[in-house]
Amino acid sequence: MVWWKATAHRIGRGVLAGGLGLALVATVELGSSAGAAESLPTGAEVLARMWQASIPQLSQFQLGVNVSLDNQFLAQAVIGWSGGLAGTVSLRLRSLLPAPLGIALRPSGFALYRFGGQQQVVADLLAARPLLAIGERVIPQLVQVGWQAQQATVVGVATVAGRPAYVVDITVNPQKLAEGLTALANQTLDRSVLEQQIGLGKIPDDLWANWTKMRDELVQWLSSPESTSEAPQTTRVWVDTTDYVTLQQEIRWPEVTKAESQTPVAGEQANPPATARQETGKTGDPVEQAMATVMEQVRRSAKNAAPQVEVGPDGHIETVTSQVTYQLTAQELRMILDALASQEPQLARELPVDAGAADVEKLTRFSVPDSMRPVQLTVVTKQKRWGKLYLPTQLAVTVDLPAELASVLSSLATAQGKETSETPATQQSAQPQSHQLVLDMDWKLDQGVDETLFNDPALLSVEKGWEDGLAALSEEDFKAAILGLATVVRNAPSFTVAHELLAQAYWETGEIWSAISELEQVVMLNPDDALAKNNLAYLYVDHDIDPARGLELALEAANTDPTNPMFLDTVGWAYFKKGDLESAEGALAAALEQLDTEQWKDQATDENRADVEYHLATVYARMGQWQKASQHVEEALRLQPQHEGAKELQTEIADHTAAAPAA
């Protein structure tokens, strides 16, 4: 039988509005700020004000990003946001996208893709709105979990770049974080509660299955020793006492001595005391040793970074520029390469291509001379004040490679996977290399989405047609539904659900060929859509248009869900049309049996049951089993008294019964 009910309820109506994660500090009570020389504020107060200064609590923004590599244009993007799912992106890449790519997303879930003179409207996020709504509900709780898993302690004041700053130790407890995330994930077990809370109706089964799979995998990982055995990690930050912008920070490892971590810092100079170097020899794992070496280098470099601060006439900070230089010595690089070499067989198995394994072997066997200059990485970040916010405006990363290492990397790029050897002479003849990647960011807080993308006529037409079509379907005004949904599929031809709903409207108005055309589009776009195959099969069979193709489609649909009584009914009716009465009886009897199971008895309507009873009665009548035919046709009319096919069959059975004695 044709079964439209599940299709019509796949996607509910409504618009997801509001921003995601905009109340990050709403749960924190802020007290008045104390002066640097007076009583110190609590760690929670400082942390909350840091977030308020660095996290945009905005209703809209437009961000332009320019990316360059070695002073050559690489990419350009403009991101616009006006709250909730209202966003636009324009992107241009130097070689891959010579023409700009434009993307617009409306709160309804419809999106526009524009490239050059071509554009398309899609509905990929429309079906995912329940999950997005779950995210909107979960994100504030997620932030709260993160907040509760960390503890901030103000340990004193110091002077950084001529500015008084609170010295704050922020400690994150991995075990407490894992416990909080586990509790939050388990709160999503109740599907009915979620459906009620997100306000978008029933969550589709496939989306719920994906959600529960991700949730269960997360809970399993959070409960593993891997996520709970880590020691608490502490970061020390120096926060301006007036503007609460972070001026400097230092990672403080658990190996830091107790005496040093408790050293009073009131009146401390810009650079805090050096912490004890991590002892990498404590572990026998070469990879862990290498990573510990790198992370210790990061800690030392970040600690010694002194910012540059520009102050405006009002006494507030206008810009903060921080520069951190990381150096990897020859000895440290050798330790890392030795660690990679020890893992070479495993890396070779995990790399996706054979050439990659050859690269690993060549790199790990590179002999690092003691005289080699350090590998140097310089990171420069700039922040600028925008009202009460301090937003990033530039990130510049410069990598300086010594000649020996540059030679090896160049050979990998030009002779990937080939057997080559680098002699000391050729290594020494190579030149040092320096590369710089720069991201320039331009914020416009008085603008939001790109209106030319966001209000594109085709995009607005699809959105209105969809809402009008759903409203008309709910009122069973199928001619009005055709007008709205036809607009949708014309401008969003890949939107399969709109094709299915339009097919339903055509079927209800008797336009069978138009319904078939829409369902053929669905099957072409999504060959795994069993419901569309079932409906298309029934139209081909019931109207004697192409019974052979109908039976083929019906069997494909039933193979995906052998217990679905609607699919079994279509298979049985197709066998009947083909003249295979025995197979028809078996499929239809199985359909009736499934209708009484716990899984289906609440989903099937009286009309559904009446159709199956009528079809089975027709098969028995063709077999000459008139008594069974009479029983099933009477049940069909009891369930649906106005069933035209059952009425005609009942008359035929009565005529045969009346003529039987004379025969």
Side-chain angles (χ1 to χ4, degrees):
M1 71 182 66
V2 178
W3 188 30
W4 303 107
K5 181 179 179 181
T7 306
H9 288 281
R10 280 185 183 175
I11 300 179
R13 299 178 63 193
V15 174
L16 179 62
L20 296 179
L22 296 182
L24 296 179
V25 295
T27 59
V28 180
E29 293 288 338
L30 296 179
S32 60
S33 174
E38 301 174 2
S39 61
L40 299 178
T42 66
E45 289 175 339
V46 175
L47 191 58
R49 291 187 184 275
M50 287 170 57
W51 281 18
Q52 288 178 326
S54 62
I55 298 178
Q57 309 291 305
L58 305 173
S59 59
Q60 66 174 21
F61 69 83
Q62 195 169 103
L63 172 61
V65 180
N66 287 284
V67 185
S68 61
L69 179 63
D70 297 337
N71 295 318
Q72 298 292 321
F73 167 78
L74 189 63
Q76 183 183 59
V78 178
I79 303 167
W81 182 74
S82 295
L85 292 182
T88 54
V89 177
S90 297
L91 178 65
R92 185 165 64 93
L93 301 179
R94 181 175 62 187
S95 56
L96 297 179
L97 294 176
L101 170 67
I103 302 172
L105 175 62
R106 292 189 61 84
S108 60
F110 287 103
L112 171 75
Y113 293 90
R114 180 186 294 170
F115 182 67
Q118 303 295 321
Q119 68 178 41
Q120 183 179 9
V121 179
V122 299
D124 295 343
L125 286 179
L126 193 63
R129 283 188 303 166
L131 287 185
L132 294 173
I134 291 174
E136 186 179 26
R137 169 182 172 268
V138 168
I139 284 177
Q141 300 178 55
L142 189 62
V143 172
Q144 179 69 9
V145 168
W147 182 276
Q148 293 173 347
Q150 63 184 348
Q151 180 179 358
T153 305
V154 180
V155 297
V157 290
T159 301
V160 178
R163 300 277 296 187
Y166 296 122
V167 184
V168 187
D169 284 346
I170 303 174
T171 301
V172 178
N173 189 317
Q175 185 170 357
K176 192 171 183 180
L177 180 62
E179 291 172 353
L181 292 175
T182 300
L184 179 59
N186 286 329
Q187 290 176 12
T188 66
L189 288 172
D190 194 329
R191 180 175 181 176
S192 61
V193 172
L194 275 176
E195 291 175 341
Q196 197 172 28
Q197 289 176 337
I198 64 178
L200 288 177
K202 179 178 173 58
I203 301 175
D205 292 339
D206 53 347
L207 290 179
W208 177 255
N210 291 335
W211 172 258
T212 53
K213 180 181 179 181
M214 291 187 296
R215 181 202 62 215
D216 293 343
E217 289 176 351
L218 175 63
V219 170
Q220 183 179 2
W221 181 80
L222 289 172
S223 61
S224 66
E226 179 183 357
S227 65
T228 58
S229 60
E230 295 182 16
Q233 301 292 321
T234 298
T235 301
R236 174 164 286 184
V237 295
W238 285 257
V239 185
D240 185 82
T241 60
T242 301
D243 296 317
Y244 289 90
V245 61
T246 300
L247 300 176
Q248 191 171 318
Q249 63 181 0
E250 173 195 352
I251 300 172
R252 300 178 68 83
W253 298 101
E255 288 78 6
V256 175
T257 64
K258 180 179 180 181
E260 182 178 344
S261 66
Q262 295 178 347
T263 299
V265 290
E268 187 178 53
Q269 297 302 313
N271 290 331
T275 59
R277 182 183 177 113
Q278 185 179 16
E279 298 180 12
T280 59
K282 289 183 179 180
T283 173
D285 189 319
V287 175
E288 290 185 10
Q289 287 185 3
M291 290 304 300
T293 298
V294 172
M295 294 308 296
E296 172 64 11
Q297 176 61 252
V298 169
R299 184 196 68 78
R300 294 200 316 266
S301 302
K303 175 180 74 68
N304 294 320
Q308 295 179 355
V309 176
E310 295 182 13
V311 181
D314 57 359
H316 289 285
I317 295 175
E318 290 294 328
T319 63
V320 178
T321 303
S322 300
Q323 177 174 315
V324 182
T325 299
Y326 308 100
Q327 287 191 341
L328 201 63
T329 66
Q331 293 76 15
E332 291 168 337
L333 179 59
R334 186 181 297 116
M335 176 181 287
I336 293 173
L337 294 179
D338 289 344
L340 289 175
S342 70
Q343 303 294 318
E344 188 177 304
Q346 179 181 349
L347 290 172
R349 288 194 301 269
E350 294 176 352
L351 287 172
V353 292
D354 293 338
D359 291 346
V360 170
E361 181 180 2
K362 184 172 184 178
L363 184 61
T364 56
R365 295 183 181 180
F366 165 56
S367 177
V368 182
D370 290 335
S371 60
M372 191 183 78
R373 292 189 320 148
V375 179
Q376 184 166 294
L377 178 69
T378 303
V379 180
V380 178
T381 58
K382 292 184 179 180
Q383 290 177 284
K384 182 178 179 181
R385 182 172 67 150
W386 301 86
K388 295 183 179 180
L389 293 172
Y390 286 86
L391 302 177
T393 58
Q394 188 181 79
L395 172 65
V397 180
T398 304
V399 181
D400 292 307
L401 298 174
E404 299 89 341
L405 185 59
S407 173
V408 174
L409 294 177
S410 296
S411 69
L412 293 181
T414 57
Q416 223 178 34
K418 295 182 180 179
E419 289 295 332
T420 59
S421 60
E422 293 291 341
T423 65
T426 57
Q427 289 179 0
Q428 294 297 330
S429 64
Q431 297 297 316
Q433 291 185 11
S434 180
H435 302 285
Q436 185 180 59
L437 180 70
V438 179
L439 278 74
D440 288 304
M441 291 158 275
D442 180 22
W443 294 84
K444 296 179 181 178
L445 306 185
D446 59 343
Q447 298 184 32
V449 296
D450 181 345
E451 296 293 341
T452 60
L453 283 170
F454 191 71
N455 293 322
D456 180 87
L459 183 56
L460 294 177
S461 177
V462 169
E463 186 176 78
K464 185 177 186 303
W466 176 248
E467 292 296 331
D468 290 348
L470 287 183
L473 280 178
S474 66
E475 297 169 3
E476 297 189 355
D477 186 350
F478 298 110
K479 290 186 177 180
I482 290 172
L483 293 176
L485 294 171
T487 301
V488 175
V489 299
R490 182 170 61 251
N491 291 288
S494 63
F495 187 15
T496 57
V497 175
H499 283 290
E500 289 181 277
L501 295 181
L502 182 56
Q504 176 188 358
Y506 280 133
W507 179 73
E508 296 282 3
T509 57
E511 300 179 57
I512 302 303
W513 279 106
S514 295
I516 288 175
S517 176
E518 295 302 322
L519 290 174
E520 286 284 11
Q521 287 287 317
V522 175
V523 173
M524 179 185 70
L525 292 168
N526 184 11
D528 296 327
D529 193 328
L531 184 59
K533 286 183 177 180
N534 173 80
N535 292 345
L536 180 58
Y538 191 82
L539 295 183
Y540 277 134
V541 169
D542 194 54
H543 294 275
D544 295 316
I545 295 173
D546 192 343
R549 173 158 169 75
L551 177 59
E552 177 185 351
L553 290 167
L555 289 172
E556 289 179 7
N559 285 337
T560 65
D561 189 357
T563 65
N564 189 316
M566 315 306 173
F567 294 176
L568 291 171
D569 175 76
T570 303
V571 170
W573 197 231
Y575 276 128
F576 169 77
K577 291 287 186 174
K578 184 183 176 183
D580 187 346
L581 300 182
E582 184 177 348
S583 297
E585 178 191 14
L588 292 168
L592 274 183
E593 183 179 348
Q594 286 297 323
L595 284 172
D596 291 328
T597 62
E598 193 71 27
Q599 179 183 1
W600 293 102
K601 67 180 181 181
D602 293 331
Q603 296 189 45
T605 65
D606 286 347
E607 182 180 358
N608 298 145
R609 294 174 181 273
D611 281 341
V612 181
E613 295 281 0
Y614 161 67
H615 290 156
L616 189 54
T618 304
V619 171
Y620 283 133
R622 181 72 63 85
M623 288 179 168
Q625 300 182 30
W626 299 103
Q627 184 176 356
K628 288 184 177 180
S630 179
Q631 292 173 351
H632 286 286
V633 79
E634 288 175 4
E635 180 63 15
L637 289 171
R638 185 190 70 80
L639 294 167
Q640 191 180 8
Q642 302 304 317
H643 196 297
E644 293 298 328
K647 286 183 183 180
E648 294 177 5
L649 181 58
Q650 186 182 48
T651 300
E652 178 185 347
I653 294 172
D655 291 344
H656 182 274
T657 302

